[in-house]
Amino acid sequence: MPEERFEPRIIGFLCNWCTYAAADTAGVSRMKQPPNVDIIRVMCSGRVDPTFVLKAFREGADGVLVAGCHPGDCHYSEGNYKTLRRMTLLRKLLEQFGIEPERLRLEWISSAEAPKWAQVAREFTEQVRALGPLNWKGTVLAGLPTTAEHFCPEVSE
Amino acid sequence: MKKISIDPITRLEGHGRIDIFLNEEGEVENVYFVIPELRGFEKFAEGRPVEELIRITPRICGVCPEAHHMAATKACDAVYHVDPPPTAKKLRELFYSYFYCSDHATHFYILAAPDFVLGPDAPVAERNILGIIHKVGLELGGRVIQHLAETHEAVATLGGKDIHPVAGLPGGWSKAITEEERRRLEEIARRAVEFGQLSLKLFHDIVLGNKAYLDMILSEAFILPTYYMGLVDPRNKVNFYDGMVRVVDPDGNEFVKYSPAEYQGVVAERVVPYSYLKFPYLKKVGWKGLVGGKDSGVYRATPLSRLNASDGMATPLAQEEYERMYETLTGDRSGRKPVHHTLATHWARLIEMLYAAERALELVTDPDITDPNVRTIPTATPTEGVGIVEAPRGTLTHHYITDERGLVRKANLIVGTTNNYAPIAISLKQAAQGVIRKGVEITEGILNRIEMAFRAYDPCFACATHALPGRMPLEVVVHDASGEVVARASRGLD
Amino acid sequence: MSEKPKLKLALYWAASCGGCEIAVVEINEKILELDAAADILFWPVAVDTKYDDVRRMPDGYIDVCLFNGAVRTSEQEEIAHLLRCKSKIMVAFGSCASEGCIPGLANLYSRNGIFERAYLTTPTTDNPEKILPQTRTPVPEGELVLPEFYNTVLTLDDVVPVEYYVPGCPPQPHQIWAVIEAIVSGNLPSPPAVVGAGDKTCCDECTRKKGEKKVKRFYRPFEIIPDPETCLLEQGLICMGPATRSGCGQGKALCVEANMPCRGCYGPAPNILDQGAKMLSAIASVIDSNDPEEIARIIETIPDPAGTFYRFSLSKSLLRRARV
Amino acid sequence: MVTLTINGQTLEAEEGQTILEVARRSGIDIPTLCYHPVLPPDGSCRLCTVEILSGSRPGLQTACTYPVEKGLEVQTHSPKVIEARRVILGLLLSRTPNVPLIQDMAREYGITEPPFPTENPEEKCVLCGRCVRACHEMVKAGAINFASRGLDRRVGPPFMEKTRVCIGCGACTIVCPTGAIEIVLKQAAEYLAKPLGPTAAIYVPSPQAIPRVPVIDTDACIRFRQTDRTNGEITDACGACAIVCEAGAVNFDQQDEILDLDVGAIIVATGFERPNPALLPQYSYGEHPDILDGMEFERLSNAAGPTKGQILTSDGRVPKAIAFIHCVGSRDEHANRYCSRVCCMHAMKQAHIAKERTGADVYELYMDIRAFGKGYEEFYERVQREGVIFIRGRGAEVVQVGGKLVVKAEDTGIGRPLILPVDMVVLCTGMNPPHDADKIARTFGISRSPDGFFMEDHPKLRPFQTATEGVFLAGTCQAPRDVPDTVAHASAAAAEALKLLSRGEVVISPQTAYIPAELCSGCRVCNALCPYSAISFDEERKVSVVNEALCKGCGTCVAACPSGIIVGKHFTDEQILVQIEALLGTPA
């Protein structure tokens, strides 16, 4: 039986004004893009709490894509700079946890750049595919108790 | 054949285990002392900013976090090639002295005293601090508690927190003290000195005054000649905070005197498959297994060792008591050293406690002690450093190697109790052989006598294994020749 | 209290440093009140009781078990199960039992890495035959055993259900006493809950003056002498206070009072999922630059994010451990 | 006030006026030559000589320099005066026998032939010195002056050589009564040659300009050029316009100002930019003066334009054939992909005008005619009826063959290549977004669509609103559109803005941040993060507070809050975390 191709799970956090709009247009214009990226809409990339990224990795994401307006074009004027700072530091942290920093990607995609969105989605999917599965739950946390059970050890006199 | 160790219930029997094997004659064939814990601090120190180890390593042991805090702080001074301002050094030693006052008191009154004050054969349920208080009366009990409370308070004032202090920094101490704080600290130091004298008086009355105990202290079962290690000042007086490490041989002659940076040339640690703890020994003498004497690298690092390895105490009252102890135990006025009586360690501990109190008083009344200049900002590139202090349970060595940004690449820790792993194992075997005889019923009391040999070292295997758990309850399992368990006793130790 | 039957209390430690026990002893003279209010059935540290006694107790015989220490070996896990079933109320006592504490930092590495460092590569190690400790070792007289050393440091509630958590490394005596009083008087909140701590962050207790935060570079504690009045974070010292539960000091944050930044020993603030991620977010947010190069430069001054932001809570973090 | 009589007529005059001024004001003619209203009087040509019958200086005096005085009695045409002028004019005519102005003046005094021998019949300069005074007193350049004496006396730069001191302003040529000075400075020549550009340093931008006030082209104005080149040493050069402006409306000190206004709404109407046809080399724009773009043709055909609305080629001929090339830079993958929407119609309008005024053959080279507006299609038909020739096919190239223009195209109707020799080519360039549109967009927090124009909030439902509350778009800054559409669009924007203002309150989106005061520890991490300064710190309670009216709900503070207590309404942590779980919970 032939080796099955690895299909990465990717979570994308998209800002409402730029990248989400771009992704929307890309869809409406029937641009070719992989199904691997699951999108979560936030008003601004500045809303993306590193907690969300770690949560995504913990729950099994192989890659996380955070995308917002171009620097200077943020609908909220500065939010995306905060994102830039956070993701830069977060990448450094991920490395310490043995997660390739490339699994977390930050992109600036304006609402006008639907083709860029489609291309980034394709590229990143391939990039993560090349990195291989992360599957945190299934490998790193494999065998660790998650929900504590209550039982009494049998007592032998 | 039923294997004690694999039955999940019996495995619950504790964190340290003494396996005593009897031969056909019912005499002690062999004794194994097993430490089932490992901490891995050396590993996860890697990658940390070295100055953070000052706040991380205290978690090796919650009983003597101050010792690790201080060893780490000194190691960091060395790593950054920085010399703290005089007042910073004084504050550190002052802090450290109060810690000794409380730690030694904790051990003597809460752990050791039950054996002496209540007696080895007293009912289990009473052999604890509350029992002591009932026996010696609330008045003394109250003094003990007050002493502990006040010395903890002093440690907290100086170190920011009493358990797991925070004030140490490469190049100094994060916090100067105000005149108001100083006055309170002086008050505490004065009472600590009185308490030290009081405790010694108690020891003389209850222990030395009691022939049975004195005989036990002097008995063969509790004599073990080994090398002795301890930190000494330039005048070879006992010092806890700083100086050179001095080792004397069983005859009391200086074997080696080294500075912290040279420790690797002196000490090595032997790995055995049946325990998570390594056996340190003197490299130059070599590893001959679990035996004492001049030809074995086994050494001890305990209060008694420190006294044996020194030429006396740096403070008057302690010096007096120091001379008295050697007179008593060697039977002549020459003050011949060393003495090998394991149980004398308790006496030595009280002498050290008195010294610590006296030293604290000296420092807290030093005119510079309130000087606000307590920091030197390091400027040199960090490299490598070793910090050594005397932990109550033995010489404590921290050794860090960093990259040019001061991130730890390698760490090595040889902690107080570890030094004494081998001698404890030997003492246990001796004691076992001394008390277990064919046909003698093995009572709780008998086993407790074995533990007394153990307890004299005030072993803290939280430290020893840099593993957690801290306090280690001990299990004594006696197997007959067929491997059957014929007796078992266990207790929590502190 | 004397009328109603005395409370049955048990204390135990697993993978801990013992600081929690010392902290209990440090309630000082109150230890006598405790003695009056409760029977300490089991406290290996200070009280002589045999495991057999515990083993023979009926299930749920102990009213409250204060369990400190993380779970690192098979043995500790079994003890946790035993005490859980003998106790009505299980309390994760202290940072180790609650979040894994500093021992949890071992989760950045593997068991093998730890063994290799401890038994093979430390400079003073003498191990010609490259021996590693074994769970079973045959000796002439029989066999010696060691418990299994887990690859990952677990928290108490990873292995047994827990009613209450008492944070802190160690829990501060005044908080311990508050908890004991609550237990004795039966004034515990409905479980699961954190007791013996505040419901805000250290900043709430911190007495320093706080302003808007914009940081051009971060300093390590030994690099500057901070102004004693001003928020340490504003001075470029990474202080975990903002993401850390309050409760350590009575109206002051202990470490910060000593001019040292908080490291987070009281665990995650009440409303956050992951202490490290939250602190990372806050720290990154106050970086005062929009230029990628400069941002990278400033972040260079934060040498050890994982070891700093997860100093005490790694075992309870979202990722729990590193991939090695 | 003083009273005097001229030629027996009693007149009132003001202190300091000259006899000449008073006489001219009262319509009494006194001939002048060296006199110029904007120059200080000199009295050097002496043509304005009059006779003082009674006054402080009786006898023959120059009227341009003689200040009025009480009881002065003047005769401007007494025999003595006439005689004096005849002598002067005789001398002048002998010096410059062929200057029409002098000839005419002499003739008035009955002199038809030079009474004296002529040195140089080509001489034009009468040495009146107007130019010298202009150069010194007005321009303050001091580039020219009199040289030599007597017969050799002449005007020119030092040693009659080129001088750097001359700024080529041309003032001397303007004041010279006899056209004796020629400008040879290249830049000035070009400046004068430019047919469709402004014609003076001060001009009305366009005949329809509102308000209809002139502007000063500071690059051309003598005063400003002098100020620049002397680094502010000379700041009062020329000022001729100010001297002649009786309303005193000329103000050289006006500066650009930056005003801070608090407003409740903003309408962005920054318009479009003319594309530069030179970027499409096939059309040879800039290589021949008769290749124009639409705007230039507009100017040319304007009644107030340089040709008074006559459509002439650069050499002043009436063109016999004109080609209009559509879609230059529009619907072109090498320029703008979009249709500029207005070109078809303005091309047809201009063709109509061209046909009407020149009767030339007018060609429209088009791809498609987009006559979508009201009455547009009818106009298209009318222009066709007028004989404008519509050729379906894009103008491919404009070349010069022997100085004549040739347009190459393809007639897709007959599927043949086409070669049109014409006299004038009009390139129908469309509309570009302003080159600095990105700066504007950033300033107002609005975004741009792929074509570079500002992006409306919704193409159908919110065509002039933007994503930023209170900022509206009007006209071509949003997309190319013609006048009626622009008026409609702009009116709508204005109405929307007024709605906002009159309501006096704004509707804010529900996605705001909220800080439960009882949970806030006052670390103030969030304070500096809000771009709208919506977060303030309550020193009393030591907690941070969100002003929900200011908050736009970006959630940056929510993500940053280290104690996790800031609630991002409608995007709460819980909501997002369950999304993550849901997405990853299901098997891939």
Side-chain angles (χ1 to χ4, degrees), chain C residues 200-201 210 213 278 281 285, chain D residues 518 521 523-524 558-559 561:
Chain C
K200 289 193 178 185
T201 72
K210 297 171 199 68
K213 293 164 177 49
K278 260 309 184 183
S281 186
S285 303
Chain D
E518 69 281 9
S521 303
C523 68
R524 303 192 66 178
V558 183
C561 176

Side-chain angles (χ1 to χ4, degrees), chain A:
Chain A
M1 161 180 157
E3 178 68 28
E4 206 181 287
R5 189 172 81 140
F6 160 55
E7 286 300 341
R9 309 286 315 267
I10 294 170
I11 295 292
F13 295 98
L14 274 52
C15 111
N16 177 68
W17 304 100
C18 293
T19 316
Y20 190 82
D24 200 13
T25 318
V28 175
S29 357
R30 305 280 186 275
M31 292 180 188
K32 194 174 185 312
Q33 40 181 320
N36 305 60
V37 186
D38 289 318
I39 293 174
I40 293 178
R41 181 178 69 104
V42 287
M43 290 311 282
C44 174
S45 61
R47 175 65 182 93
V48 180
D49 184 331
T51 308
F52 302 160
V53 177
L54 297 181
K55 173 75 172 174
F57 281 127
R58 181 206 172 110
E59 296 302 327
D62 302 299
V64 173
L65 174 59
V66 178
C69 315
H70 285 269
D73 285 352
C74 177
H75 177 63
Y76 304 102
S77 79
E78 290 241 313
N80 52 0
Y81 287 118
K82 316 292 191 304
T83 316
L84 172 63
R85 303 171 196 169
R86 289 176 192 144
M87 297 308 142
T88 316
L89 183 51
L90 186 53
R91 276 207 200 81
K92 193 170 171 181
L93 180 89
L94 291 177
E95 221 165 349
Q96 289 184 292
F97 276 87
I99 300 175
E100 302 86 344
E102 300 74 34
R103 291 187 187 270
L104 170 58
R105 181 152 169 179
L106 179 60
E107 279 287 349
W108 307 134
I109 303 172
S110 84
S111 52
E113 298 176 312
K116 181 176 177 187
W117 159 259
Q119 186 209 353
V120 166
R122 284 193 300 270
E123 261 178 34
F124 190 46
T125 304
E126 286 322 308
Q127 190 182 7
V128 176
R129 199 196 304 282
L131 285 168
L134 183 62
N135 184 14
W136 200 257
K137 255 196 199 147
T139 57
V140 182
L141 301 186
L144 294 190
T146 44
T147 49
E149 347 106 71
H150 185 164
F151 69 84
C152 290
E154 162 237 341
V155 176
S156 69
E157 283 303 318

Side-chain angles (χ1 to χ4, degrees), chain C residues 210-285:
Chain C
K210 297 171 199 68
E212 293 193 347
K213 293 164 177 49
K214 287 171 179 279
V215 180
K216 270 282 177 209
R217 77 154 278 190
F218 293 98
Y219 295 92
R220 285 157 67 176
F222 64 87
E223 290 179 314
I224 55 166
I225 299 176
D227 168 81
E229 306 297 320
T230 316
C231 166
L232 293 175
L233 182 50
E234 280 159 42
Q235 302 182 61
L237 290 169
I238 291 182
C239 178
M240 287 291 290
T244 303
R245 189 182 276 273
S246 56
C248 66
Q250 287 145 304
K252 58 194 172 79
L254 288 180
C255 300
V256 180
E257 281 294 312
N259 303 322
M260 292 297 280
C262 169
R263 283 292 173 255
C265 80
Y266 257 72
N271 299 283
I272 64 185
L273 186 58
D274 185 291
Q275 191 178 16
K278 260 309 184 183
M279 197 60 214
L280 179 144
S281 186
I283 289 286
S285 303

Side-chain angles (χ1 to χ4, degrees), chain B residues 1-13 17-21 475-480 482-488, chain C residues 141-145:
Chain B
M1 181 175 80
K2 186 167 160 241
K3 286 270 176 282
I4 307 112
S5 44
I6 52 175
D7 174 333
I9 302 308
T10 50
R11 270 174 70 193
L12 291 180
E13 293 283 359
R17 198 176 58 251
I18 301 168
D19 285 296
I20 302 173
F21 292 90
E475 177 190 17
V476 183
V477 185
V478 184
H479 314 245
D480 65 16
S482 68
E484 288 299 332
V485 179
V486 294
R488 175 187 300 137
Chain C
E141 302 80 6
E143 188 180 56
L144 298 173
V145 298

Side-chain angles (χ1 to χ4, degrees), chain B residues 3 5-6 8-15 17 19 21 29-30 32 34-44 46-52 55-56 59-63 80 110-111 124 127-130 133-134 138 145 149 152 160-164 166-170 174-175 263-264 267-278 281 287 375 377-378 399 405-407 409-412 414 444 462 467-473 488 490-494, chain C residues 12-23 25-26 28-29 31-32 35 40 44-52 55 72-76 78-79 82 101-106 108-110 113-129 131-137 139-149 169-170 172-173 220-226 254-255 257-263 265 300 303-304 306-308 311-312:
Chain B
K3 286 270 176 282
S5 44
I6 52 175
I9 302 308
T10 50
R11 270 174 70 193
L12 291 180
E13 293 283 359
H15 290 230
R17 198 176 58 251
D19 285 296
F21 292 90
E29 178 71 28
N30 203 353
Y32 290 94
V34 175
I35 303 300
E37 291 294 344
L38 163 69
R39 15 314 253 337
F41 269 77
E42 279 122 337
K43 186 60 186 177
F44 64 74
E46 288 169 26
R48 311 282 82 78
V50 69
E51 72 275 10
E52 293 294 329
R55 300 181 68 173
I56 289 174
R59 269 70 182 192
I60 287 171
C61 174
V63 183
Y80 279 98
I110 297 186
L111 310 173
V124 170
R127 238 176 20 227
N128 60 48
I129 172 65
L130 300 169
I133 293 171
H134 300 149
L138 276 176
I145 287 172
H152 285 141
K161 269 169 94 187
D162 57 353
I163 302 170
H164 305 321
V166 300
L169 280 166
S174 75
K175 180 171 175 288
Y263 86 103
Q264 293 184 57
V267 182
E269 300 175 285
R270 188 79 176 190
V271 180
V272 295
Y274 61 80
S275 176
Y276 282 124
L277 185 56
K278 296 180 279 188
Y281 64 93
W287 176 248
R375 294 277 307 274
I377 304 293
H399 176 199
R405 290 182 309 154
L407 301 192
R409 279 176 33 233
K410 269 188 172 189
N412 189 29
I414 304 177
E444 209 281 339
L468 315 156
R471 244 29 81 271
M472 190 198 67
R488 175 187 300 137
S490 74
R491 62 183 297 125
L493 296 171
D494 200 1
Chain C
Y12 190 76
W13 72 93
S16 81
C17 67
C20 292
E21 275 84 8
I22 300 296
V25 174
E26 284 186 14
N28 302 328
E29 68 287 345
I31 195 98
L32 301 174
D35 185 39
I40 300 180
V45 172
V47 182
D48 260 344
T49 325
K50 290 186 185 163
Y51 288 93
D52 295 346
R55 204 172 41 178
R72 222 273 143 78
T73 68
S74 49
E75 185 175 286
Q76 289 151 353
E78 283 151 7
I79 296 170
L82 177 76
C101 193
I102 278 173
L105 285 177
L108 290 173
Y109 301 91
S110 67
I114 291 169
F115 274 20
E116 197 208 350
R117 172 60 81 226
Y119 300 115
L120 299 175
T121 62
T122 35
T124 46
T125 295
D126 161 28
N127 189 1
E129 302 92 38
I131 295 167
L132 292 181
Q134 305 297 318
T135 50
R136 292 148 157 260
T137 310
V139 292
E141 302 80 6
E143 188 180 56
L144 298 173
V145 298
L146 287 174
E148 184 197 351
F149 181 86
C169 180
Q172 291 302 303
R220 285 157 67 176
F222 64 87
E223 290 179 314
I224 55 166
I225 299 176
L254 288 180
C255 300
E257 281 294 312
N259 303 322
M260 292 297 280
C262 169
R263 283 292 173 255
C265 80
E300 265 312 294
D304 176 24
T308 309
R311 176 70 53 83
F312 288 85

Side-chain angles (χ1 to χ4, degrees), chain A residues 147-151, chain C residues 80-81 84-85 87-92 156-165 192:
Chain A
T147 49
E149 347 106 71
H150 185 164
F151 69 84
Chain C
H81 283 299
R84 167 73 273 188
C85 95
S87 310
K88 292 195 190 68
I89 294 177
M90 192 65 153
V91 179
L156 181 58
D157 64 4
D158 283 337
V159 295
V160 299
V162 168
E163 277 83 14
Y164 298 103
Y165 301 81

